[in-house]
Amino acid sequence: MGEISSITMKDIAKELNVSVATVSRALKNSPRISRQQRERIQAYAAEHSFTPNLIAESLRKSKVRPMKVIGVIVPELTHYYFSSVLAGIEEAAERQGYLIMVAHSNEQHEREVGICKSFFENKVCGIIVSQAKDTAQYAHFQRLIDRGVPLVFYDRICTGVNASRVVVDDYAGAYAAVSHLVETGCKRVAYFNSSMKLEISKNRYNGYCDALLKHGIKVDPSLVFQCDNRADAERITPEVLNRDDRPDAFFAVNDDTAIGILYSVKRKGLRIPEDVSVCGFTNGQRAVACDPTLTTVDQHGFKVGEAAAEILIRHVEGVIEKGKIERRVVRTRLVVRQSTLPVSTSITEQMERRLPKEADEQHHTCKRPTEQVKTKASNSQQTA
């Protein structure tokens, strides 16, 4: 797929030693510019594949506004979180009289580049995007900004491009989730994460590590896995559960992965949450449809979408000064359900639930003689 041309009217004006206004008039075939000058400018523009962004220009200068269209790029259309973000974008855009044009990158960099090119050619007034997992080169985003197209990142942000962004507090969400697991008695918490190339993965991993350390538990690298979908979770989890030092809890980067873990644990014959606790990150509809229902971190996707659309529209309409960056963080919330033990569970109950069956039997065997001694002593006192 071809890259977007980075040439602007300002570039043409500088190269041909004329004003931007002259370039604009020449490209519109204005009779105020000589035929020779028009042909010279138009030839240069054609040679460098220049395409003016007419909608963005009209929004800035015209009292009668044309159709206002926002381009939205989602990595996956079927993912609950991204669909909820999309719903938030659409509602906020509709309130301001904007339409949205949606495309999904299918987690592919080349497809993402092509979508950006298509959106630009279709004259969207701005773009809201969550980058694909394998995107490591950001020239297509920078070219949009260079061409004057407002850009807002959500969820997966691109640190290499200076653009407005809306994210959830991934660190705090992961910290709260892992703290909850430890406070219910879990000591070996496995973590299924996405690629560390993504900022959200780094932030959630840091939250996971800090929560363990805060509670006096060393981070065990052997309990951290790159796994962010249900299929891989169902493949990897049985191997993890076969370990002699198997985890007593799993924290997953999203709900689909957590549900894959949950069903793998059940197929192994282990109880949830008595033997193994499971916590996800999304709070989608599947979290309450599985058995047991899933403890998870609510990302508030709808709020993320609303915020991203509001910021983009403010960029388009000039409320936010050109070149100024806006950053917004949406707070997360831990939703406790049936897949984790309650924090109120006593230490004794936690120990009994976590003990292997053999140790549990020994534990009760040791208690019986003590109880008998107490009974005898009690009877002696009564007799006396």
Side-chain angles (χ1 to χ4, degrees), residues 180-236:
H180 170 73
L181 291 169
V182 174
E183 288 163 7
T184 61
C186 301
K187 300 298 182 185
R188 291 184 56 75
V189 183
Y191 181 32
F192 283 19
N193 195 12
S194 293
S195 168
M196 290 296 281
K197 293 178 181 178
L198 300 172
E199 285 300 306
I200 62 168
S201 301
K202 296 174 185 176
N203 291 334
R204 292 179 194 179
Y205 175 72
N206 289 337
Y208 162 81
C209 293
D210 286 355
L212 291 177
L213 295 172
K214 178 69 175 180
H215 290 83
I217 300 174
K218 290 184 179 180
V219 178
D220 183 349
S222 73
L223 292 178
V224 179
F225 305 86
Q226 184 171 322
C227 173
D228 61 4
N229 60 77
R230 179 169 179 171
D232 286 345
E234 292 187 6
R235 176 177 56 83
I236 294 171

Side-chain angles (χ1 to χ4, degrees), residues 50-269:
F50 171 77
T51 308
N53 190 331
L54 300 180
I55 285 185
E57 184 180 352
S58 296
L59 283 170
R60 289 192 296 269
K61 298 181 180 180
S62 177
K63 292 182 180 180
V64 180
R65 295 188 172 186
M67 183 181 294
K68 301 178 289 185
V69 181
I70 296 170
V72 182
I73 304 176
V74 295
E76 299 177 59
L77 281 171
T78 57
H79 195 290
Y80 173 83
Y81 175 68
F82 292 121
S83 64
S84 62
V85 170
L86 192 58
I89 292 172
E90 186 168 27
E91 184 160 313
E94 186 178 357
R95 287 198 299 264
Q96 299 295 323
Y98 286 73
L99 299 174
I100 64 172
M101 182 185 296
V102 183
H104 79 288
S105 65
N106 200 28
E107 302 287 13
Q108 298 170 12
H109 171 260
E110 286 192 12
R111 187 182 177 103
E112 185 178 81
V113 171
I115 293 168
C116 287
K117 183 175 184 292
S118 176
F119 277 170
F120 181 78
E121 291 173 347
N122 280 280
K123 315 303 179 192
V124 298
C125 58
I127 296 174
I128 300 172
V129 57
S130 182
Q131 72 175 62
K133 285 179 185 175
D134 67 350
T135 293
Q137 301 295 324
Y138 312 116
H140 54 301
F141 293 139
Q142 189 59 54
R143 286 190 177 94
L144 288 169
I145 294 172
D146 292 343
R147 300 300 299 273
V149 180
L151 194 65
V152 175
F153 287 100
Y154 69 93
D155 190 51
R156 301 179 191 166
I157 63 172
C158 174
T159 57
V161 174
N162 198 25
S164 292
R165 59 199 57 183
V166 180
V167 297
V168 299
D169 194 340
D170 293 295
Y171 173 90
Y175 185 93
V178 177
S179 292
H180 170 73
L181 291 169
V182 174
E183 288 163 7
T184 61
C186 301
K187 300 298 182 185
R188 291 184 56 75
V189 183
Y191 181 32
F192 283 19
N193 195 12
S194 293
S195 168
M196 290 296 281
K197 293 178 181 178
L198 300 172
E199 285 300 306
I200 62 168
S201 301
K202 296 174 185 176
N203 291 334
R204 292 179 194 179
Y205 175 72
N206 289 337
Y208 162 81
C209 293
D210 286 355
L212 291 177
L213 295 172
K214 178 69 175 180
H215 290 83
I217 300 174
K218 290 184 179 180
V219 178
D220 183 349
S222 73
L223 292 178
V224 179
F225 305 86
Q226 184 171 322
C227 173
D228 61 4
N229 60 77
R230 179 169 179 171
D232 286 345
E234 292 187 6
R235 176 177 56 83
I236 294 171
T237 304
E239 300 174 8
V240 179
L241 293 173
N242 282 336
R243 292 168 48 162
D244 292 334
D245 59 346
R246 69 168 171 80
D248 53 11
F250 288 83
F251 172 49
V253 71
N254 58 49
D255 284 358
D256 283 350
T257 303
I259 291 169
I261 295 168
L262 187 147
Y263 283 109
S264 296
V265 171
K266 290 174 67 177
R267 281 196 293 268
K268 194 73 175 172

Side-chain angles (χ1 to χ4, degrees), residues 277-313:
S277 291
V278 182
C279 181
F281 204 117
T282 301
N283 196 31
Q285 295 172 343
R286 295 173 186 172
V288 292
C290 60
D291 180 29
T293 54
L294 185 68
T295 293
T296 186
V297 178
D298 193 338
Q299 288 182 268
H300 300 294
F302 189 89
K303 291 182 180 179
V304 171
E306 274 191 314
E310 289 167 1
I311 291 172
L312 183 75
I313 291 169

